[in-house]
Amino acid sequence: MVAALISATALADSMSETRLVVVDCRHDLANPEAGEAAWRTAHVPGSLFMHLDRDLSAPVTGRNGRHPLPSPESFVALLGARGISPAHRVVSYDDAGGMFAARLWWMLRWVGHRDAAVLDGGLSAWTAAGGALDTTVRALQPVAYPLSEVEHTVNADQILAGLGSDVQLLVDARAPDRFRGENETLDPVGGHIPGAVNRFFKLNIGDDGRFKPADVLRAEWRTLIGARDPSTLIMQCGSGVTACHNLLALEVAGLSGAKLYPGSWSEWCSDPARPMTR
């Protein structure tokens, strides 16, 4: 199995590998152009850039959430246009504890690209380990990326059908106050999907800014989900971004198999007929 995380020192040792592609995923929800501007100023040498809104999301309609998934076909077309092939090893990073890099990691897994990892500790871990920053971008020729497989996601109708049953457990990655319906500044309605439990994605990160050890994550997640099979878990958040951070943590913990609800709360609350807990 390909490790879902890579350390800064391991990445530095791999920089000469021709099959390595590093992708900068920095983003600021309050200033959507800040990440790309920071990338243009300085980044891990050779890094490509992918924008959360333009590259890792589909157009917003008002009913499909704030960061809807693109179609698998359009996403692999993007990969191919950037020169990324199934033979490449893709490492994503950001400066937010993996908050945005995990989205690309999950999307790669979603379309069957298994050789993907997130830089543990992000940009700060890279520079702390002595890693250089520059403005070079690796030149890759466009390729045709074949779509071979797509992992299942869960939609609002499937969640609605399972409410009140034991067939699913929704885990919401938002901060506890937003989960309770307080201090909601991103979505028009506060609250959460009935029956969901809360696991703030930042709990996956230790004091050093890196993911907690696998055994610690496993114990914490088991405290939350009990003896449940991970395949019965559905990860969601506000818009399907930080939910991927929880999916990454589950992978690190050896509890893989959970699914993503891409639309998450921002899609769910767009229909007032859907039940909500506040």
Side-chain angles (χ1 to χ4, degrees):
M1 178 183 290
V2 177
L5 295 174
I6 184 171
S7 69
T9 53
L11 177 59
D13 291 342
S14 303
M15 290 297 283
S16 62
E17 295 181 8
T18 58
R19 72 185 191 93
L20 176 70
V21 178
V22 182
V23 182
D24 189 318
C25 296
R26 281 178 285 178
H27 191 76
D28 184 341
L29 293 172
N31 181 6
E33 301 312 314
E36 186 170 13
W39 168 76
R40 292 188 184 281
T41 300
H43 51 249
V44 174
S47 299
L48 310 182
F49 180 80
M50 289 193 184
H51 194 284
L52 174 63
D53 297 333
R54 294 194 300 269
D55 300 322
L56 305 181
S57 302
V60 174
T61 66
R63 299 298 295 271
N64 60 352
R66 285 183 282 106
H67 294 107
L69 277 182
S71 69
E73 293 79 9
S74 63
F75 180 57
V76 296
L78 169 73
L79 295 177
R82 299 295 178 86
I84 297 173
S85 76
H88 281 114
R89 183 186 194 197
V90 182
V91 173
S92 57
Y93 74 88
D94 59 33
D95 59 358
M99 176 179 178
F100 305 108
R103 168 80 165 205
L104 175 57
W105 168 84
W106 180 86
M107 289 179 67
L108 288 163
R109 296 292 187 94
W110 175 52
V111 295
H113 194 114
R114 311 306 297 178
D115 202 351
V118 170
L119 174 58
D120 197 10
L123 194 63
S124 61
W126 175 258
T127 56
L133 300 177
D134 64 26
T135 58
T136 61
V137 180
R138 185 179 176 193
L140 293 170
Q141 293 298 315
V143 297
Y145 194 111
L147 181 61
S148 58
E149 61 176 293
V150 179
E151 291 189 3
H152 292 299
T153 58
V154 180
N155 61 37
D157 289 340
Q158 290 169 315
I159 289 176
L160 186 63
L163 288 184
S165 73
D166 196 44
V167 299
Q168 64 186 22
L169 177 64
L170 287 151
V171 182
D172 191 321
R174 293 176 298 165
D177 58 339
R178 290 186 63 211
F179 176 77
R180 293 191 300 266
E182 304 165 3
N183 305 318
E184 181 57 69
T185 59
L186 295 173
D187 294 309
V189 180
H192 61 263
I193 300 172
V197 297
N198 187 215
R199 166 76 179 187
F200 188 25
F201 78 96
K202 290 186 178 181
L203 294 175
N204 300 320
I205 302 296
D207 294 337
D208 60 357
R210 295 171 175 81
F211 274 75
K212 294 174 180 176
D215 58 340
V216 174
L217 286 172
R218 189 179 306 114
E220 291 180 357
W221 276 90
R222 278 299 181 196
T223 298
L224 179 70
I225 67 173
R228 272 185 171 272
D229 188 313
S231 66
T232 66
L233 304 177
I234 299 171
M235 298 298 116
Q236 51 102 177
C237 54
S239 65
V241 176
T242 57
C244 295
H245 199 280
N246 276 351
L247 285 162
L248 176 56
L250 286 166
E251 184 78 12
V252 173
L255 299 171
S256 58
K259 297 178 178 63
L260 176 69
Y261 170 31
S264 288
W265 177 252
S266 57
E267 178 189 61
W268 186 269
C269 73
S270 69
D271 185 349
R274 296 187 184 118
M276 306 175 200
T277 298
R278 301 183 177 90

